[in-house]
Amino acid sequence: MKSLKDQFILNNGVGIPCIGFGTWQTHAGRVAVVSVLEALETGYRHIDTAAAYDNEESIGEAISKSGINRKNIFVTSKLWNSNRGYDTTLRAFDESLRKLGLDYLDLYLIHWPATKDDWRNQNNDTWRAFEKLYNEKRIRSIGVSNFKPHHLKPLMEKAEIMPAVNQIEFHPGLMQTETVEFCKKNNILIEAWSPLGSGRILNNPDLIKIAEKYNKSVAQLCIKWCLQNNVLPLPKSITIERIHENAKVFDFIISSQDMDRINMMPHIGSSGLDPDKINF
């Protein structure tokens, strides 16, 4: 990867820009509009949002104001938990499109797996709606988020279309190796939400020392580390300087020795959100 516009290729042949601009915890209104506009002006062409972020209208406003051709911006949104199921998924998708002011999505994800009661059928019914929207060409690619292998396997057994993406928490100190290996074996691209540990790992002395070797920030190191692990990072910032900084990761390569050091870091910086234990 040599620039923000370089792409991973999904299992259905769709290209996805190699770094996404995350908008989790970005407040709707001026903050979201300005930060997304700045990201687009910086060169990002991949914007990640979700119904639960409550900022889809602001994301859509920024995309419209950018003047960039819609086909050149990869837009992701996600289905919230309360809307799982066939008919409710279709309605929720329409609402996300309305808020974004778009007539299609590039990627739509099940935000969290159902894990209680009749969870297999809930996930499968939701996925059938995703497949319908995909076959109608209203979504260019479909996937999941926060799914572990034991959530993915029952879904994949019934699916006609395989998930193209699994977006999970992934950063130094939290590699989720079992999930990553399962997805790579099944040609499912891993996206990293919170690749900077939501800021929790930026003051880690080991990471600071490694980053200094490359004259880079810890944030830049973490983003590059994701890419070199063939994982697509979704860094988030509302600070102009950091939006720019997070894009400048294509002029250095982390050595294999330093990659190993980072890969072997102990568990740190986790949000603590486990899909099998969440109550939302």
Side-chain angles (χ1 to χ4, degrees):
M1 302 296 177
K2 297 181 180 179
S3 78
L4 287 170
K5 296 178 184 178
D6 285 353
Q7 299 180 334
F8 290 96
I9 303 300
L10 299 177
N11 59 21
N12 65 346
V14 169
I16 179 171
C18 64
I19 297 179
F21 185 72
T23 63
W24 179 40
Q25 298 178 326
T26 298
H27 296 301
R30 185 177 182 278
V31 171
V33 173
V34 169
S35 61
V36 172
L37 271 173
E38 190 66 36
L40 291 169
E41 290 173 8
T42 300
Y44 291 85
R45 290 296 181 268
H46 175 181
I47 308 297
D48 182 272
T49 185
Y53 300 172
D54 198 28
N55 59 18
E56 288 174 312
E57 289 180 331
S58 301
I59 304 304
E61 181 181 344
I63 290 170
S64 177
K65 286 183 174 179
S66 73
I68 299 168
N69 192 311
R70 165 69 183 94
K71 69 179 183 180
N72 294 326
I73 304 175
F74 193 101
V75 182
T76 300
S77 194
K78 309 178 193 75
L79 175 82
W80 187 238
N81 303 348
S82 57
N83 289 317
R84 297 189 193 107
Y86 186 81
D87 292 330
T88 44
T89 291
L90 298 177
R91 289 194 292 269
F93 175 80
D94 285 340
E95 181 66 4
S96 283
L97 275 193
R98 184 192 68 78
K99 288 182 175 180
L100 285 161
L102 304 176
D103 55 11
Y104 72 93
L105 282 179
D106 297 280
L107 177 63
Y108 197 41
L109 305 177
I110 302 177
H111 205 150
W112 293 86
T115 60
K116 299 174 183 176
D117 301 323
D118 192 20
W119 63 271
R120 290 177 180 84
N121 284 331
Q122 285 187 56
N123 289 333
N124 290 337
D125 287 347
T126 301
W127 192 250
R128 282 196 303 112
F130 272 51
E131 292 177 327
K132 172 181 169 64
L133 294 165
Y134 176 85
N135 287 327
E136 291 174 349
K137 301 188 184 305
R138 301 184 70 198
I139 312 172
R140 296 178 65 224
S141 43
I142 53 179
V144 298
S145 181
N146 300 301
F147 275 55
K148 295 181 178 181
H150 61 270
H151 307 128
L152 275 165
K153 289 175 184 177
L155 185 146
M156 292 167 66
E157 287 172 0
K158 299 285 188 179
E160 295 180 3
I161 301 167
M162 291 298 108
V165 165
N166 188 11
Q167 186 179 123
I168 63 174
E169 184 176 6
F170 181 94
H171 52 73
L174 184 67
M175 293 190 68
Q176 300 210 55
T177 302
E178 180 186 5
T179 297
V180 171
E181 289 180 353
F182 177 87
C183 288
K184 289 186 176 182
K185 180 179 178 181
N186 287 279
N187 200 18
I188 299 170
L189 177 69
I190 292 290
E191 291 186 336
W193 64 260
S194 196
L196 314 181
S198 295
R200 290 180 294 271
I201 60 175
L202 297 183
N203 294 319
N204 179 273
D206 293 328
L207 292 174
I208 290 172
K209 186 175 181 179
I210 296 172
E212 287 174 346
K213 289 175 58 176
Y214 302 96
N215 196 29
K216 293 293 180 179
S217 68
V218 172
Q220 289 169 316
L221 180 75
C222 292
I223 293 166
K224 185 68 170 186
W225 170 81
C226 285
L227 291 174
Q228 289 187 215
N229 274 309
N230 292 313
V231 169
L232 192 158
L234 300 165
K236 172 258 179 182
S237 182
I238 59 173
T239 305
I240 290 176
E241 293 78 8
R242 289 177 182 165
I243 291 172
H244 295 172
E245 178 185 281
N246 290 346
K248 296 176 180 177
V249 298
F250 300 100
D251 57 351
F252 76 108
I253 296 174
I254 305 171
S255 71
S256 58
Q257 294 88 348
D258 286 335
M259 286 294 294
D260 288 343
R261 286 177 62 194
I262 301 171
N263 288 346
M264 292 187 293
M265 289 183 66
H267 186 272
I268 57 169
S270 170
S271 69
L273 296 174
D274 183 334
D276 288 315
K277 298 177 181 178
I278 61 167
N279 59 2
F280 48 80

